[in-house]
């Protein structure tokens, strides 16, 4: 039997309401903050991600689904949206139309990571990119939105962690300091960190190995190297978060796995999902647009993993059980009345009622069982004496009251019954 590919997951009809719930809340909150949706293709030219995310990052060096198409172009299934949104922003000159573009998305992403709870190879993110302003209030707005969405979904065990990564020049100076500090300690580091020492030194702070954590506990911190402008920006973001009731912790070791960040970086962590605890992450990227060939334009954004959020909701018991209910189940008493039942079902459906009927020529008893299984509010009985009288019978399944309604005035009489 062919099964779904490792690290991918079917969303079955029994789970779909949870997805609709998350997606509709996400859309509502983004809309209130005046973000508009952008959709970009599922694949891009491979070089976009190398240039955008950084060649030495894990995502680009190890995790991309890259293939050469029949035209000999190297393409990659998008591992994240920021580079793709920036590509579209530049390509369509969105910056020329308005000074700030506030964009949001909900889309699949692809990363060939080792699958585990909360970590998939095809997963879904919602997120936003606000392109065009250096204001620290836009950083704060992005964090407020991320926090509000997660809180409104009912999640409580949340920690917002923020840090400032300064400017690239500051980071280079800092990296030299960090290298000096680690120069006589590399023997103590894990194999993975030894490689990162050469290629992506900041990520040493992300290691889960106890030895690495011990070595890094006394390492110099980037936050102590920030210039005045970076500190002022960071401070304004923190004040805005306090004023807008977003609790947060400054985590000077928060570095993020993508290279494009400048100044603010943040993550929101759940205490309820195990080791893959980041529900969302983001930050400012003031040089990315220029690096991808656009005019120098600042930006800030975040993305959140929907599968992880659903897992957190399940573990915090905030997924309310879905009791699916239908408005009408049509019970056809005589088997030759199937076409009449279908006609009435269509009429009701066209009037926006959720309606089901039997298509398997089942007995009246079996149809009643089905009406109960589907939690029908009403059953509509087609046949019997009423039908000879050009009428049908409607039964309220909770109260048991029955009403005979004439087929001549079917729509208006149904309405009256429902209004009772
Ligand atoms: P990221 O931290 O790589 O950032 O991903 C954001 C979120 O996507 C994570 O916090 C996590 O919830 C989810 N996620 C990532 N990888 C997986 C996976 N393999 N399986 C399940 N969920 C996953 C970005 O992607 C940046 N583009 C965010 C951003 C937007 N920064 C600025 N603007």
């Amino acid at each position: 039997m062919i099964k779904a590919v490792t690290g991918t997951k079917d969303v079955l009809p029994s789970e779909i309401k949870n997805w609709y719930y998350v997606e509709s809340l996400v859309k509502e909150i983004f809309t209130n903050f005046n973000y508009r949706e952008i959709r970009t293709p599922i694949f891009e030219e491979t070089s976009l991600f190398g240039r955008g995310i950084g060649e030495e990052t894990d995502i680009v060096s190890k995790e991309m689904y890259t293939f050469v198409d029949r035209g000999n172009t190297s393409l990659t299934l998008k591992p994240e949206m920021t580079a793709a949104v920036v590509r579209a922003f530049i390509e369509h000159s969105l910056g020329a139309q308005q000074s700030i573009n506030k964009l949001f998305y909900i889309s699949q992403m692809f990363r060939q990571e080792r699958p585990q709870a909360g970590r998939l190879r095809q997963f879904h993110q919602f997120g936003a990119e606000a392109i065009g302003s250096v204001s620290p209030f836009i950083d704060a707005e992005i964090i407020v939105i991320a926090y509000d969405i997660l809180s409104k979904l009912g999640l409580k065990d949340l920690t917002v962690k923020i840090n400032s990564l300064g400017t690239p020049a500051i980071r280079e100076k800092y990296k030299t300091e960090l290298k000096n500090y680690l120069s006589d300690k590399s023997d103590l580091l894990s194999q993975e960190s030894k490689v990162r020492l050469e290629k992506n030194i900041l990520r040493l702070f992300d290691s889960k190995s106890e030895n690495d954590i011990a070595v890094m506990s006394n390492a110099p911190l980037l936050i102590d190297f920030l210039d005045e402008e970076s500190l002022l920006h960071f401070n304004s973001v923190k004040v805005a978060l306090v004023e807008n009731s977003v609790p947060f912790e400054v985590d000077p070791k928060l570095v993020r796995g993508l290279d494009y960040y400048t100044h603010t970086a943040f993550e929101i962590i759940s205490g309820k999902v195990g080791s893959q605890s980041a529900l969302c992450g983001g930050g400012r990227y003031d040089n990315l647009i220029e690096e991808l060939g656009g005019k120098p334009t600042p930006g800030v954004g975040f993305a959140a993993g929907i599968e992880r959020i659903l897992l957190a909701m399940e573990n915090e018991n905030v997924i309310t059980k879905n009791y699916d209910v239908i408005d009408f189940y049509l019970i056809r008493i005589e088997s030759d009345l199937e076409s009449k039942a279908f006609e009435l079902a269509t009429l009701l459906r066209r009037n926006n009622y959720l309606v089901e009927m039997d298509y398997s020529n089942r007995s009246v008893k079996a149809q009643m069982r089905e009406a109960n299984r589907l939690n029908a509010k009403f059953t509509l009985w087609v046949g019997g004496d009423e039908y000879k009288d050009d009428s049908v019978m409607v039964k309220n399944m909770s109260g048991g009251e029955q009403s005979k309604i004439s087929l001549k005035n079917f729509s208006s009489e149904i309405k009256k019954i429902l209004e009772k």
Side-chain angles (χ1 to χ4, degrees):
M1 196 187 70
I2 299 175
K3 292 192 168 165
V5 174
T6 309
T8 68
K9 203 174 143 305
D10 299 308
V11 179
L12 298 174
S14 56
E15 303 163 277
I16 200 70
K17 278 211 171 159
N18 299 327
W19 285 77
Y20 288 168
Y21 176 57
V22 172
E23 287 164 7
S24 67
L25 188 97
V26 161
K27 285 183 187 167
E28 186 187 312
I29 294 183
F30 278 134
T31 306
N32 289 345
F33 282 82
N34 199 27
Y35 284 67
R36 290 182 306 155
E37 186 173 355
I38 181 162
R39 299 184 185 185
T40 68
I42 215 82
F43 49 72
E44 296 275 353
E45 285 194 20
T46 302
S47 57
L48 172 69
F49 300 114
R51 281 172 62 193
I53 303 169
E55 298 288 356
E56 301 298 351
T57 58
D58 283 354
I59 297 179
V60 174
S61 64
K62 299 195 236 171
E63 296 167 2
M64 295 205 303
Y65 279 98
T66 297
F67 60 99
V68 177
D69 76 358
R70 286 167 207 272
N72 237 358
T73 308
S74 178
L75 301 174
T76 293
L77 301 182
K78 58 187 173 189
E80 63 109 46
M81 270 297 272
T82 312
V85 170
V86 167
R87 196 263 313 132
F89 171 88
I90 298 168
E91 186 172 337
H92 303 287
S93 308
L94 298 184
Q97 294 161 29
Q98 53 197 80
S99 68
I100 177 162
N101 274 268
K102 304 209 294 185
L103 309 164
F104 83 87
Y105 46 82
I106 303 177
S107 180
Q108 298 100 314
M109 305 294 151
F110 304 86
R111 297 183 193 176
Q112 192 163 5
E113 295 194 74
R114 196 168 44 77
Q116 62 182 87
R119 189 158 73 190
L120 291 139
R121 291 182 168 174
Q122 176 180 339
F123 59 99
H124 295 75
Q125 286 184 341
F126 63 80
E129 311 297 342
I131 304 178
S133 167
V134 290
S135 166
F137 289 104
I138 286 286
D139 307 45
E141 180 170 297
I142 284 289
I143 300 172
V144 167
I145 295 175
Y147 181 73
D148 278 14
I149 291 175
L150 298 178
S151 308
K152 284 205 176 150
L153 286 171
L155 296 173
K156 296 207 165 58
D157 194 346
L158 300 173
T159 309
V160 180
K161 293 188 171 182
I162 67 167
N163 191 19
S164 172
L165 301 178
T167 61
I170 291 169
R171 230 167 23 238
E172 283 316 307
K173 214 168 104 193
Y174 167 70
K175 279 186 193 167
T176 313
E177 285 295 318
L178 195 56
K179 233 178 224 156
N180 286 342
Y181 166 79
L182 290 166
S183 61
D184 56 354
K185 299 179 185 63
S186 65
D187 288 349
L188 304 170
L189 294 172
S190 66
Q191 200 44 45
E192 194 182 15
S193 288
K194 277 187 189 137
V195 176
R196 283 180 164 167
L197 190 60
E198 297 307 317
K199 299 198 156 172
N200 203 348
I201 193 166
L202 291 185
R203 291 302 302 274
L204 262 71
F205 285 110
D206 282 348
S207 173
K208 297 212 160 97
S209 126
E210 276 180 25
N211 286 348
D212 293 351
I213 293 172
V215 171
M216 297 311 283
S217 65
N218 293 319
L221 295 170
L222 176 54
I223 207 156
D224 297 324
F225 288 73
L226 295 182
D227 60 345
E228 205 180 324
E229 198 195 321
S230 301
L231 281 172
L232 271 175
H233 186 93
F234 192 38
N235 209 39
S236 306
V237 176
K238 288 189 284 184
V239 171
L241 292 179
V242 171
E243 282 170 349
N244 290 280
S245 317
V246 176
F248 64 88
E249 286 172 11
V250 173
D251 178 358
K253 292 184 175 156
L254 177 74
V255 287
R256 306 277 301 128
L258 305 96
D259 279 355
Y260 47 61
Y261 293 109
T262 54
H263 300 289
T264 316
F266 79 101
E267 283 183 357
I268 303 183
I269 308 295
S270 164
K272 292 284 193 294
V273 288
S275 65
Q276 299 306 306
S277 58
L279 298 187
C280 79
R284 183 164 272 288
Y285 45 86
D286 287 348
N287 302 316
L288 179 62
I289 290 133
E290 192 177 2
E291 274 158 20
L292 290 176
K295 285 198 202 118
T297 314
V300 54
F302 83 98
I306 300 183
E307 285 84 355
R308 274 187 208 176
I309 290 172
L310 288 169
L311 194 64
M313 288 170 70
E314 206 176 301
N315 294 347
E316 283 208 40
N317 273 324
V318 292
I319 290 201
T320 43
K321 234 183 161 182
N322 286 316
Y323 289 107
D324 286 321
V325 171
I326 67 167
D327 296 314
F328 290 97
Y329 189 86
L330 268 68
I331 295 179
R332 167 197 35 71
I333 301 173
E334 285 93 30
S335 58
D336 62 342
L337 289 179
E338 193 171 1
S339 76
K340 190 67 199 174
F342 180 64
E343 194 187 316
L344 294 174
T346 304
L347 190 71
L348 287 167
R349 287 164 174 162
R350 286 183 175 152
N351 278 297
N352 291 334
Y353 297 115
L354 208 168
V355 178
E356 198 44 279
M357 60 174 273
D358 173 53
Y359 297 96
S360 311
N361 206 12
R362 280 182 283 192
S363 67
V364 169
K365 215 168 167 186
Q367 293 179 70
M368 278 165 62
R369 265 203 306 274
E370 186 67 359
N372 283 324
R373 196 183 70 79
L374 295 174
N375 294 317
K377 290 190 223 159
F378 294 90
T379 41
L380 198 143
W381 299 68
V382 186
D385 289 344
E386 283 85 5
Y387 193 67
K388 286 186 200 133
D389 221 8
D390 229 8
S391 304
V392 288
M393 211 256 295
V394 179
K395 181 172 171 188
N396 184 329
M397 297 298 280
S398 53
E401 314 93 65
Q402 304 187 359
S403 326
K404 184 173 161 182
I405 64 174
S406 108
L407 285 173
K408 238 194 260 148
N409 307 316
F410 182 70
S411 295
S412 60
E413 292 201 24
I414 281 277
K415 230 180 174 171
K416 268 192 235 150
I417 287 177
L418 289 169
E419 279 163 7
K420 260 195 217 162

